[in-house]
Amino acid sequence: MTQDGRGRPDRSAARGRDPQQTTRDPKTRDKQTDPARSVALEVLRAVRRDDAYANLLLPRLLRERSLDRRDKALATELTYGTARCAGMLDEIIASAAGRPVAEIDGDLLDVLRLGSYQLLRTRIGSHAAVSTSVDLVRARHGMGQAGFVNAVLRKVSQRDEQLWIDTVAPSMADDMVGHLAFTYAHPRWIAEVFLDSLGSIGELQAALAADDERPIVHLVARPGQITAEELALISGGDEGRYSPYCVYLPEGDPGSLEAVRDGFAGVQDEGSQLVALALPRADVGADGGRWLDLCAGPGGKAALLGSLADLDGAHLDAVEVSEHRAALIEKVVDSLPVTVHVADGRDSGLEPGYDRVLVDAPCSGLGSLRRRPEARWRRTPDEIPALVELQTQLLTEALRLVRSGGVVVYSTCSPHPAETTGVIASVLDTVDGVEQIDARPLVAGDAVDPSSFGAGPHVQLWPHRQDTDAMFLAVLRKS
């Protein structure tokens, strides 16, 4: 990000101006609010107030407001960055304000978070960060509230991020996990879950640090429609390290690529591609061509599997319980040998005898927090038991639907042991005639040494190890 001093009025600012400005006192209208910050604030407000998803709302607002390239980049950085570290910012704001954030008006808190993020985690000058935040409040709430925001942000600006960590975070000596969780902007319980899975403080620190970074976009080149080499050439990206269909796109809008608009390529984390690829790579003997994606929404893996099924002469049934999400799947698998079923995967009504079944189970999503910036502050440990029960039921049903000699790939976008190895152990204990096979060669393909994915037989990916989402997968064969 470049040094930014944009509190200055410009013509484009009018496009992002709050309509209420036209009726306010002229003294409050003498400064136009910055368009990039106005968009970021609108998204942050919707995230807090309406449980909106930043990665869905922001792109729509950027299109509607017709921001220029520079303002789009700034709005994106401020929105995702602020949402990602909101919990950490709240502790600092509470210290600076001398009161808990629960006692601060929600709309003002949004501005304080946005301003504090600029002060602590960007190279934006302190004067610009404070003055543009004050402008946002003054335009909507008047001078009194603007004075409060000005006072708090000026206090925040008196220390840099490390000094605030030294002041507010738990000490390393007394609470190392709490200290690392604060430093890398994660709730403490999630840091504890990561530690349970990783087993060492050093790895925990690396995982939290990677999770705190803004990830690059991963594209998937749909097999039979475009190659990764071709996609890399036209997008300016680089071919992936593990998946033969992956392209890394360090910058740029993937929606502007013709290959994406035409459906030849899509946005998909490389870890998700590896999960989907494990299914057709497994040995099932004579493949009858009956493949099943039991939890197909929103359709990324179904599209990749559908493309591979098309090349192999197979057919994929894709099950999704939500009609809306099923419609999204229909859209991405158009012209592929895929039939979409609106049904609960635990009772789909489909006939058994599948050669290959994918259970990409609903989960806490703790493995994709870097791509869902606000999610880490919404999730709670209370949600886990119900998810584990659902995951167990889905995996059990998948094993009923697969034929003898066929395979089931179970995956979650979570490293939580209860959602991963715990579910596998539970099902192996209760379902007869099932064995777990080594997933590592199915993930590695011809790209890397399978042993690089750990001791097996399951695979747990991590952002700090593979630079993918923290996907888990295990492969079960029915005897």
Side-chain angles (χ1 to χ4, degrees), residues 62-228:
L62 293 180
R63 289 193 299 270
E64 291 176 358
R65 304 296 165 81
S66 301
L67 301 186
D68 62 29
R69 182 178 176 184
R70 189 163 173 242
D71 279 334
K72 282 182 178 177
L74 179 61
T76 301
E77 170 62 25
L78 296 184
T79 302
Y80 291 160
T82 303
R84 188 176 294 117
C85 60
M88 181 189 78
L89 295 174
D90 283 358
E91 297 289 335
I92 294 170
I93 290 167
S95 178
R99 69 180 78 165
V101 293
E103 297 179 7
I104 298 175
D105 176 83
D107 287 352
L108 297 185
L109 179 59
D110 295 330
V111 178
L112 287 170
R113 287 171 172 169
L114 185 63
S116 297
Y117 176 75
Q118 294 171 69
L119 289 168
L120 301 176
R121 287 201 162 187
T122 74
R123 290 181 294 166
I124 293 172
S126 296
H127 175 73
V130 174
S131 65
T132 53
S133 299
V134 170
D135 290 345
L136 287 168
V137 175
R138 185 162 44 205
R140 291 168 171 79
H141 302 283
M143 296 296 292
Q145 306 281 36
F148 169 72
V149 167
N150 182 60
V152 173
L153 289 181
R154 289 198 179 281
K155 197 161 184 179
V156 171
S157 71
Q158 291 171 5
R159 296 184 175 102
D160 64 15
E161 182 181 1
Q162 186 56 55
L163 284 175
W164 275 112
I165 290 172
D166 295 342
T167 303
V168 180
S171 75
M172 295 176 67
D174 296 337
D175 182 3
M176 177 61 84
V177 174
H179 181 84
L180 293 176
F182 184 93
T183 300
Y184 298 107
H186 284 68
R188 193 183 196 288
W189 77 272
I190 292 179
E192 290 173 343
V193 167
F194 284 11
L195 181 59
D196 285 346
S197 183
L198 290 164
S200 79
I201 286 291
E203 277 248 72
L204 171 63
Q205 181 171 12
L208 294 176
D211 225 21
D212 203 25
E213 296 290 330
R214 181 165 57 93
I216 64 170
V217 172
H218 291 182
L219 300 176
V220 58
R222 301 258 158 78
Q225 300 177 64
I226 191 172
T227 67

Side-chain angles (χ1 to χ4, degrees), residues 22 41 49 76 133 141 250 257 305 312 316 349 367 370 396 415 427:
T22 57
L41 183 61
R49 191 173 56 194
T76 301
S133 299
H141 302 283
L257 296 173
L305 286 172
D312 288 356
L316 178 74
R370 60 182 190 155
T396 302
V427 170

Side-chain angles (χ1 to χ4, degrees), residues 277-309:
L277 291 174
L279 192 70
R281 284 173 174 171
D283 181 11
V284 297
D287 189 340
R290 287 193 71 202
W291 300 4
L292 172 62
D293 184 351
L294 198 58
C295 311
K301 295 183 184 67
L304 179 52
L305 286 172
S307 296
L308 294 169

Side-chain angles (χ1 to χ4, degrees), residues 421-455:
T421 52
V423 170
I424 296 300
S426 172
V427 170
L428 288 174
D429 281 345
T430 57
V431 180
D432 294 331
V434 177
E435 63 170 342
Q436 184 173 1
I437 63 176
D438 192 350
R440 295 174 299 169
L442 308 181
V443 173
D446 298 326
V448 294
D449 181 354
S451 66
S452 66
F453 291 106

Side-chain angles (χ1 to χ4, degrees), residues 176-414:
M176 177 61 84
V177 174
H179 181 84
L180 293 176
F182 184 93
T183 300
Y184 298 107
H186 284 68
R188 193 183 196 288
W189 77 272
I190 292 179
E192 290 173 343
V193 167
F194 284 11
L195 181 59
D196 285 346
S197 183
L198 290 164
S200 79
I201 286 291
E203 277 248 72
L204 171 63
Q205 181 171 12
L208 294 176
D211 225 21
D212 203 25
E213 296 290 330
R214 181 165 57 93
I216 64 170
V217 172
H218 291 182
L219 300 176
V220 58
R222 301 258 158 78
Q225 300 177 64
I226 191 172
T227 67
E229 182 180 14
E230 292 167 340
L231 182 58
L233 282 173
I234 62 175
S235 66
D238 299 311
E239 292 182 58
R241 179 178 167 195
Y242 301 103
S243 166
Y245 307 109
C246 185
V247 169
Y248 304 142
L249 190 65
E251 59 183 14
D253 176 13
S256 66
L257 296 173
E258 186 175 350
V260 173
R261 291 200 304 269
D262 291 342
F264 299 153
V267 176
Q268 186 176 45
D269 184 83
E270 190 171 26
S272 293
Q273 296 178 39
L274 295 177
V275 167
L277 291 174
L279 192 70
R281 284 173 174 171
D283 181 11
V284 297
D287 189 340
R290 287 193 71 202
W291 300 4
L292 172 62
D293 184 351
L294 198 58
C295 311
K301 295 183 184 67
L304 179 52
L305 286 172
S307 296
L308 294 169
D310 196 26
L311 296 176
D312 288 356
H315 181 275
L316 178 74
D317 285 308
V319 175
E320 168 54 42
V321 68
S322 159
E323 289 189 13
H324 170 68
R325 287 161 66 93
L328 295 177
I329 300 169
E330 292 273 13
K331 195 172 179 182
V332 297
V333 301
D334 183 41
S335 79
L336 296 174
V338 179
T339 302
V340 179
H341 306 265
V342 181
D344 188 325
R346 293 169 293 183
D347 185 20
S348 63
L350 296 171
E351 290 295 321
Y354 285 94
D355 302 280
R356 308 172 190 274
V357 181
L358 171 64
V359 182
D360 183 34
C363 68
S364 62
L366 301 187
S368 59
L369 297 179
R370 60 182 190 155
R371 297 195 188 278
R372 299 175 184 174
E374 72 283 341
R376 69 188 64 179
W377 309 111
R378 283 185 180 160
R379 290 297 187 192
T380 69
D382 296 340
E383 300 171 74
I384 303 301
L387 287 167
V388 169
E389 182 178 0
L390 174 60
Q391 293 154 358
T392 303
Q393 292 170 345
L394 287 165
L395 180 54
T396 302
E397 175 63 8
L399 289 166
R400 189 187 73 82
L401 291 170
V402 75
R403 66 166 170 81
S404 294
V407 297
V408 174
V409 172
Y410 171 82
S411 74
T412 60
C413 189
S414 169

